[in-house]
């Protein structure tokens, strides 16, 4: 005799099951709290970077990047001819970013919002000076970025800029140099590089720097919160040094992949 409430049209779970255990339900005695020193890494250390160019075969160029819990995929389509627009001697670069519904602790709506547009604008400003748009008259290059997992908005801007720059190189689009980017936050009296979402929420101010280390050029500065002028200059110096190391890692990975 069939059990009450048994649905034969679905794959039913076992009769005995246990509720999933989430991080918030675990003992948080060993987790970082405001006022504590940084755990797992030093204040001026960043999370390990994993970069894989050419991941999306249907796109002209692509890249996938992981920095800790932040996971971002980027696809490049173009250059392709602009339609129904007046002639322009320089190409156009469009950047669109969206969060996957499962990318945040609280499920996001599939539609774009103001936060998506602000992050896309920050990434656009970071990579725009590196692209040789004068070689692409009446053309459009579309950059589509998908955040698969998010651990801090600053980390999304920095990692998204690196992934977009690597994807442009993978697509064969001429650039002046590879864009490297990293973030910092003021925690107490210290400056911590590559802050997580929890660290950023407890900071006085955050800072994101994008550079082209090969040309010793800064392409974008994105600052949020309250930071004294000396803290901004110190954060800029620290981030610029870290961008040189990130540039070396990205360039080596592209060299291995594109050979």
């Amino acid at each position: 005799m069939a059990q009450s409430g048994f649905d034969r049209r679905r794959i039913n779970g076992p009769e005995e099951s246990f509720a999933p255990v989430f991080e918030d339900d675990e003992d948080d005695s060993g987790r970082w709290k405001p006022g504590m020193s940084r755990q797992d890494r030093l204040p001026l250390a960043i999370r390990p970077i994993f970069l894989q160019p050419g991941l999306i075969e249907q796109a002209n160029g692509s890249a996938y990047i992981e920095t800790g819990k932040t996971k971002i995929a980027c696809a490049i389509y173009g250059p392709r001819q602009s339609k129904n627009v007046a002639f322009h001697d320089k190409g156009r670069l469009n950047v669109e970013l969206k969060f996957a519904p499962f990318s945040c602790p609280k499920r996001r709506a599939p539609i774009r919002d103001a936060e998506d547009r602000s992050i896309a604008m920050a990434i656009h400003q970071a990579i725009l000076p590196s692209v040789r748009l004068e070689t692409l008259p009446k053309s459009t290059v579309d950059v589509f970025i998908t955040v698969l997992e998010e651990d801090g908005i600053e980390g999304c801007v920095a990692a998204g800029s690196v992934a977009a720059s690597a994807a442009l190189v993978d697509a064969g689009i001429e650039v002046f140099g590879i864009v490297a980017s990293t973030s910092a936050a003021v925690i107490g009296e210290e400056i911590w590089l590559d802050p997580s979402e929890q660290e950023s929420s407890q900071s006085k101010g955050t800072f994101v720097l994008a550079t082209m280390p090969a040309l010793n050029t800064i392409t974008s500065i994105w600052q949020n919160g309250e930071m004294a002028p000396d803290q901004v200059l110190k954060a800029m110096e620290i981030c610029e040094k870290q961008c040189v190391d990130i540039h070396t890692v990205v360039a080596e990975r592209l060299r291995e992949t594109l050979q």
Side-chain angles (χ1 to χ4, degrees), residues 44-212:
L44 300 184
I46 65 173
R47 290 169 284 191
I49 296 176
F50 171 79
L51 179 67
Q52 179 60 54
L55 187 67
I56 304 174
E57 297 181 355
Q58 295 82 356
N60 297 100
S62 62
Y64 171 78
I65 189 170
E66 284 188 14
T67 57
K69 293 183 179 180
T70 301
K71 301 176 178 63
I72 295 176
C74 177
I76 304 292
Y77 294 92
R80 46 194 176 189
Q81 183 179 2
S82 301
K83 297 182 179 180
N84 302 325
V85 295
F87 176 81
H88 46 91
D89 56 354
K90 285 188 176 182
R92 296 184 178 181
L93 182 69
N94 300 323
V95 177
E96 181 177 321
L97 179 140
K98 65 178 180 179
F99 285 85
F102 51 83
S103 61
C104 304
K106 183 178 181 181
R107 188 173 180 85
R108 297 179 67 106
I111 59 175
R112 298 181 64 201
D113 54 20
E115 188 176 47
D116 298 359
R117 297 185 182 93
S118 63
I119 298 176
M121 184 181 298
I123 295 175
H124 180 270
Q125 293 175 348
I127 64 175
L128 180 62
S130 69
V131 186
R132 297 194 60 188
L133 294 177
E134 68 275 6
T135 63
L136 305 170
K138 203 180 179 182
S139 299
T140 301
V141 177
D142 295 316
V143 181
F144 294 97
I145 300 173
T146 303
V147 180
L148 302 176
E149 187 174 357
E150 176 259 335
D151 188 21
I153 298 302
E154 293 77 16
C156 288
V157 174
S161 300
V162 175
S165 183
L168 288 168
V169 175
D170 183 63
I173 296 174
E174 292 189 42
V175 296
F176 292 105
I178 299 172
V179 174
S181 180
T182 189
S183 58
V186 178
I187 308 292
E189 300 300 325
E190 294 184 330
I191 293 180
W192 291 5
L193 279 180
D194 194 17
S196 64
E197 183 176 14
Q198 185 182 16
E199 294 169 348
S200 297
S201 64
Q202 301 297 333
S203 66
K204 297 179 181 178
T206 56
F207 182 87
V208 181
L209 179 72
T211 68
M212 285 189 290

Side-chain angles (χ1 to χ4, degrees), residues 186 191 207 221 223 225-237:
V186 178
I191 293 180
F207 182 87
I221 295 176
Q223 189 259 327
E226 182 180 349
M227 295 179 67
D230 58 332
Q231 292 176 328
V232 173
L233 294 176
K234 184 178 179 181
M236 185 183 301
E237 181 182 359

